[in-house]
Amino acid sequence: MTLRLDVPREIALHSASEIVVEAWNSFDEARPQQPPIGSHLRTLLTAALPETPTGVLEVLEDARRALDQSIAQPRPRYFAFVASSGLEVGVLGDLLAACFDANMAVWAAAATEIEDQAIRWVAEFLGYPAGAGAFTSGGTVSNMTALAAARERAVPGSRRDGLGSVSPTVYCSDEAHYSIERAAELLGIGSSNVRSMPIDADRRLVPEAVATAIRDDRAAGRTPIAVIATAGTTLTGACDPIEALADVCADAGVWLHVDGAYGLPAATTPSAGQLFAGLDRADSVTLDAHKWLYLPKACGVLLVRNRADLAQAFSHEEAYIPHERSGHMVDITLEYSRPFRALKLWLAFRAHGAQAFRDAVEDNLRQARLLYDLVVAHDSLEPLCGPPPLSIVPFRYLGSGGDVNAENARLVRALQDDGRVWVAPATIDEKVGLRPCFVNFRTTDNDVRALVDIAVELGS
């Protein structure tokens, strides 16, 4: 037995590349439906563990079938969640990174230099004065990493000694991402100590409420850990007022983290940039390049003002970590086994230039405004929020006067079964509706109009 392919490597690679090219071509335009899982694949998926080999070309063909019959986020009418759209050069970057498989936990020569440069480029792109940063699997790990640094600053030694008798608190809006609560649970802060604060009419965290809560908590003997400003909530795309929250945190001496996993690329655009005023004052920021910078998953980015904050939270000495060189990423990150995620972003900035990304994000913002206008103008539809601050546009079908929530739940399922567009449901202020999000460089205005037409057709 050997772990060698049964055909020349060039032939296997050519077969795989044909699958990729076929997929890329199919992503250029919407297809009429989502194909069902076929009988061949159904049979294959019930098979036991293979003890003998199957030819690699046959295996790759089965993979092609499986992928074609899976929900592919890069398709131009995939509007659910906040999706990656699989930028082509990013796919190539993943192939190359996986092939060379650099160990990014420790110094990896040129690969480490590329990661450092990519961090600097992201910081420059956003206008954030980063002292350090890291590539992560996404916003959940990035947020937890930032909160670990904030916890260590607020309660020095807590990474080793625990929080003891300290009563910690974290402050965020009612509509902050669940990863904040999850991070609090894993870091020993406790999700019950995450203050879900009031939001205003624009669904933004109220700075005065945060200031009052910090003051009251300190008077009660509690220890504030961090304030989380969400730069683009997952539900509606609302952006918390970063500048005002930075004032609150500066006055109180509390860490300010900006969770911009979804929305932060819009900070670089003419039409939405003002929503992110004060970003440069945050202690840490999160961005998922596999969301609105169009790269394939996973490519999260965490930036911090001061490298020492991450080092104090994560650095350690172990016999199996060579310390003859300084600056190992394992000393400022949560992960040990770290793939070379930075390569695809480095390639993307070089292949396309930063302005192309600004333009693509601006185009998605314009498409969101187009959908909002189409919904407002249609007698059978209504928006669930005001004009979109970013690229999420929740709306609902008004139906025939019955249970509108039930009709919209049915409509979402009908749209998914139909397969011409793909959307997810959302409940906003107890109203069930559709929650399309535009984060795909392939999406066109015709795709936006098709969403309205198909929703009305299937809702009728």
Side-chain angles (χ1 to χ4, degrees):
M1 282 296 189
T2 178
L3 290 176
R4 294 286 184 180
L5 298 176
D6 65 322
V7 299
R9 288 173 289 195
E10 294 84 358
I11 292 177
L13 181 60
H14 178 71
S15 179
S17 69
E18 286 185 329
I19 296 172
V20 172
V21 172
E22 179 185 10
W24 282 349
N25 288 335
S26 77
F27 295 160
D28 287 339
E29 295 182 2
R31 60 181 178 180
Q33 64 178 11
Q34 170 65 29
I37 298 177
S39 58
H40 174 84
L41 188 55
R42 287 286 185 195
T43 300
L44 181 61
L45 293 175
T46 63
L49 172 69
E51 293 293 346
T52 57
T54 302
V56 68
L57 297 183
E58 180 181 344
V59 169
L60 287 172
E61 175 59 21
D62 287 337
R64 185 197 66 76
R65 286 194 185 96
L67 291 167
D68 186 62
Q69 295 165 25
S70 300
I71 305 298
Q73 295 184 353
R75 298 193 183 280
R77 292 183 184 176
Y78 183 93
F79 302 123
F81 312 112
V82 186
S84 163
S85 51
L87 189 69
E88 287 93 340
V89 73
V91 174
L92 298 176
D94 271 346
L95 170 65
L96 295 173
C99 179
F100 285 84
D101 200 20
N103 179 7
M104 301 306 294
V106 295
W107 186 77
T112 295
E113 299 294 328
I114 285 174
E115 181 164 5
D116 289 344
Q117 184 178 43
I119 287 293
R120 294 196 302 272
W121 284 356
V122 173
E124 182 180 351
F125 182 66
L126 298 173
Y128 178 75
F135 283 82
T136 74
S137 62
T140 295
V141 171
S142 294
N143 288 337
M144 183 163 62
T145 303
L147 277 178
R151 181 194 61 178
E152 189 64 19
R153 181 196 284 183
V155 188
S158 57
R159 60 177 288 200
R160 293 184 176 87
D161 303 328
L163 289 166
S165 60
V166 173
S167 298
T169 50
V170 172
Y171 309 85
C172 60
S173 88
D174 282 338
E175 296 182 354
H177 194 269
Y178 177 70
S179 61
I180 302 303
E181 290 192 11
R182 179 173 290 178
E185 291 169 350
L186 294 173
L187 292 169
I189 295 168
S191 54
S192 65
N193 293 317
V194 176
R195 299 276 192 264
S196 294
M197 305 298 297
I199 55 178
D200 62 19
D202 295 320
R203 313 192 82 85
R204 308 188 312 160
L205 180 59
V206 179
E208 296 79 10
V210 175
T212 299
I214 291 173
R215 185 171 58 250
D216 291 348
D217 280 338
R218 280 203 167 128
R222 303 185 66 86
T223 301
I225 300 295
V227 173
I228 314 298
T230 304
T233 62
T234 306
L235 186 62
T236 68
C239 294
D240 291 336
I242 301 171
E243 189 82 76
L245 290 168
D247 289 340
V248 170
C249 290
D251 291 343
V254 175
W255 184 289
L256 175 62
H257 174 62
V258 175
D259 178 7
Y262 152 49
L264 208 49
T268 69
T269 65
S271 68
Q274 74 281 357
L275 297 174
F276 303 86
L279 178 69
D280 59 321
R281 299 175 60 190
D283 293 283
S284 55
V285 302
T286 294
L287 175 147
D288 280 355
H290 60 247
K291 290 188 170 78
W292 217 354
L293 290 182
Y294 310 109
L295 292 172
K297 295 179 289 293
C299 195
V301 184
L302 170 68
L303 304 174
V304 295
R305 294 180 67 87
N306 298 305
R307 182 186 178 91
D309 286 322
L310 290 178
Q312 287 168 4
F314 292 101
S315 65
H316 59 132
E317 295 284 340
E318 297 292 347
Y320 46 79
I321 299 293
H323 280 275
E324 70 276 9
R325 295 183 183 273
S326 61
H328 292 322
M329 292 302 293
V330 75
D331 286 330
I332 63 170
T333 60
L334 177 66
E335 298 172 288
Y336 274 72
S337 299
R338 301 178 64 252
F340 191 13
R341 299 183 180 105
L343 180 61
K344 54 190 165 188
L345 183 55
W346 187 80
L347 288 172
F349 273 138
R350 294 198 63 208
H352 297 292
Q355 188 58 45
F357 288 94
R358 297 185 192 101
D359 292 344
V361 173
E362 187 69 75
D363 204 39
N364 289 149
L365 292 167
R366 183 188 55 76
Q367 289 166 345
R369 294 190 289 268
L370 170 62
L371 176 59
Y372 181 81
D373 291 342
L374 292 171
V375 168
V376 169
H378 203 291
D379 292 340
S380 298
L381 305 174
E382 72 171 4
L384 295 180
C385 303
L390 297 180
S391 65
I392 296 173
V393 189
F395 70 96
R396 66 176 181 168
Y397 177 69
L398 294 176
S400 57
D403 186 336
V404 179
N405 282 351
E407 289 202 31
N408 277 271
R410 180 199 60 78
L411 175 57
V412 170
R413 182 57 185 267
L415 287 165
Q416 293 180 353
D417 289 343
D418 178 81
R420 284 176 287 172
V421 298
W422 195 265
V423 295
T427 302
I428 299 173
D429 299 331
E430 301 182 349
K431 296 178 180 179
V432 177
L434 288 63
R435 185 200 151 277
C437 179
F438 299 96
V439 286
N440 192 328
F441 64 94
R442 298 181 179 91
T443 299
T444 68
D445 290 4
N446 285 337
D447 296 320
V448 178
R449 296 186 180 96
L451 171 59
V452 172
D453 293 341
I454 297 169
V456 172
E457 172 194 335
L458 296 182
S460 301

